[in-house]
Amino acid sequence: MKKFDILALGELNVDLLLNRIGGFPEIGKEIFAQEMTLTLGSSTAIFAANAATLGPKVSFLGMIGRDSFGDVVKSSLRQRKVDISNLIEVDDAATGLTAILNYDNDRANVTYPGAMSRMGVKDIRPEIIREAKHVHISSIFLQETLHRELYEIVKLVKDCGATLSMDVQFDPEETWEFDCAQILPLVDIFMPNEQELMAITRKDSVEEAVAVIRPYANVTVVKMGTRGSLVVTREQEHFLPAMLNKSVVDAIGAGDSYNAGFITGYVQGKDLETCQWLGNLTGAINTTAAGGTGAFSSKEAVCQAAQQYFGQKLVL
Ligand SMILES: Nc1ncnc2c1ncn2[C@@H]1O[C@H](COP(=O)(O)OP(=O)(O)O)[C@@H](O)[C@H]1O
Ligand SMILES: [Mg+2]
């Protein structure tokens, strides 16, 4: 028996949301926002929080500054029942922040990566990995040191006996440097969305991209937005259409919630088809409330949403 079912390894930051802004900011001028919210940001945090709600015991290994935004990160994770004893607090870098300026359906983001860009292989103690059954790594392009040392980190995880899932997320620099042949054989469940998969393989279609990774990958889960998802193994492919939500609140974090559902099934020993169904369902549930964690306040709320919006019976 391991202490944790899942160790989420990745980026942590706060989101500063500015809403109802009176026009676009201009250099040398000042404008008002009518609303402001400070919340836990980062895709790995959404994954960890939602997985913890679904049942597994989740711990987080990430780097924050010893500052007040770091306190926001810690209390938000704790509130969502994510273990924070493995967080690394540093004195010489600040907690990362994304300032999000919302204009109706569009937004302008500015991210200061701060401490999260510094975490590398030397910060990851093998004892911590050994306490976890499964490790999930996300947002590899947002974390400079982790990206550079990805092979060493992935190797360490496997040497410590954990299973491993990985979501790449967007590359702000759009260089999409990812060595499929080196990394993928060590990843048990690879979880990009279709754009990310095409970008890292430098192909224009999902079919071509799948052909590139197939010789190296174990299980690949391709998230396809409102179309659903495709699970690819060495032997076969299985497409499952989305449980379409006709009145989407927003799709922020849908992919992270998908990952949380899929990996919850995986660590509970469910077969891949059940994991895929869980992923499609939790991705869809994500879109019924605001933000990445709004629909995941409790197990009861998740099961109720599954029934109410999608007619699915979910037992957690
Ligand atoms: N409008 C929607 N209705 C139902 N399910 C959705 C909707 N949008 C996304 N999903 C589900 O969530 C999953 C992840 O969303 P997607 O947008 O592909 O990921 P990402 O956020 O990583 O880009 C999809 O594969 C799908 O199953
Ligand atoms: Mg995603």
Side-chain angles (χ1 to χ4, degrees):
M1 270 297 279
K2 301 274 186 175
K3 188 170 172 194
F4 298 109
D5 298 307
I6 301 171
L7 179 72
L9 199 159
E11 89 289 16
L12 282 169
N13 66 281
V14 291
D15 279 350
L16 176 68
L17 293 138
L18 296 168
N19 297 330
R20 297 172 56 211
I21 307 169
F24 213 75
E26 283 176 61
I27 304 293
K29 293 195 176 174
E30 182 158 344
I31 51 173
F32 285 117
Q34 303 297 330
E35 262 175 36
M36 186 274 280
T37 319
L38 185 71
T39 62
L40 176 65
S42 96
S43 122
T44 314
I46 294 172
F47 164 82
N50 294 350
T53 298
L54 297 173
K57 283 178 282 167
V58 183
S59 182
F60 207 112
L61 175 53
M63 198 176 264
I64 53 174
R66 205 181 299 281
D67 48 32
S68 47
F69 286 154
D71 292 341
V72 172
V73 166
K74 286 191 289 181
S75 62
S76 311
L77 286 174
R78 207 185 292 123
Q79 201 193 356
R80 290 297 179 126
K81 309 243 168 5
V82 176
D83 170 79
I84 56 166
S85 64
N86 292 316
L87 293 189
I88 304 163
E89 285 180 80
V90 295
D91 290 307
D92 52 351
T95 301
L97 173 136
T98 297
I100 301 166
L101 280 62
N102 276 319
Y103 297 90
D104 297 323
N105 288 328
D106 239 321
R107 35 163 59 199
N109 292 3
V110 182
T111 291
Y112 168 70
M116 68 176 159
S117 66
R118 298 235 317 245
M119 189 171 73
V121 69
K122 69 170 179 11
D123 301 301
I124 302 171
R125 297 195 348 253
E127 309 87 89
I128 298 176
I129 309 281
R130 281 193 212 106
E131 286 181 340
K133 188 170 168 183
H134 182 89
V135 173
H136 180 76
I137 302 182
S138 186
S139 306
I140 57 172
F141 300 112
L142 288 186
Q143 306 172 82
E144 201 190 320
T145 313
L146 177 139
H147 183 224
R148 203 171 46 240
E149 299 175 357
L150 190 62
Y151 177 67
E152 287 83 354
I153 293 172
V154 161
K155 183 105 181 22
L156 173 65
V157 169
K158 295 313 292 178
D159 288 345
C160 290
T163 50
L164 174 64
S165 51
M166 183 184 288
D167 187 345
V168 295
Q169 302 288 11
F170 196 75
D171 180 2
E173 316 261 24
E174 296 195 59
T175 52
W176 299 101
E177 254 171 63
F178 185 85
D179 188 339
C180 293
Q182 188 189 45
I183 304 292
L184 291 182
L186 297 168
V187 177
D188 297 281
I189 312 282
F190 185 50
M191 318 186 84
N193 71 21
E194 52 190 337
Q195 288 81 21
E196 293 152 2
L197 179 64
M198 290 188 283
I200 59 164
T201 54
R202 300 173 206 280
K203 294 290 178 196
D204 300 321
S205 73
V206 173
E207 294 70 41
E208 289 173 289
V210 164
V212 172
I213 60 161
R214 202 172 215 143
Y216 315 113
N218 294 298
V219 176
T220 304
V221 179
V222 189
K223 288 166 284 177
M224 301 173 145
T226 52
R227 284 187 293 130
S229 65
L230 178 72
V231 171
V232 182
T233 63
R234 293 246 159 81
E235 301 78 32
Q236 55 186 0
E237 295 184 9
H238 187 258
F239 173 75
L240 187 65
M243 299 166 201
L244 207 55
N245 178 11
K246 287 158 218 110
S247 49
V248 172
V249 175
D250 68 55
I252 297 169
D256 308 313
S257 297
Y258 180 106
N259 295 346
F262 191 104
I263 295 302
T264 292
Y266 186 71
V267 298
Q268 292 172 347
K270 306 253 165 62
D271 59 52
L272 289 177
E273 279 199 25
T274 306
C275 296
Q276 186 178 18
W277 171 80
L278 266 168
N280 272 23
L281 181 57
T282 49
I285 289 172
N286 179 102
T287 66
T288 64
T293 59
F296 293 82
S297 55
S298 66
K299 270 187 190 178
E300 295 69 33
V302 176
C303 296
Q304 151 83 26
Q307 188 64 52
Q308 180 187 335
Y309 295 100
F310 308 106
Q312 301 288 321
K313 188 168 165 53
L314 177 63
V315 181
L316 291 171

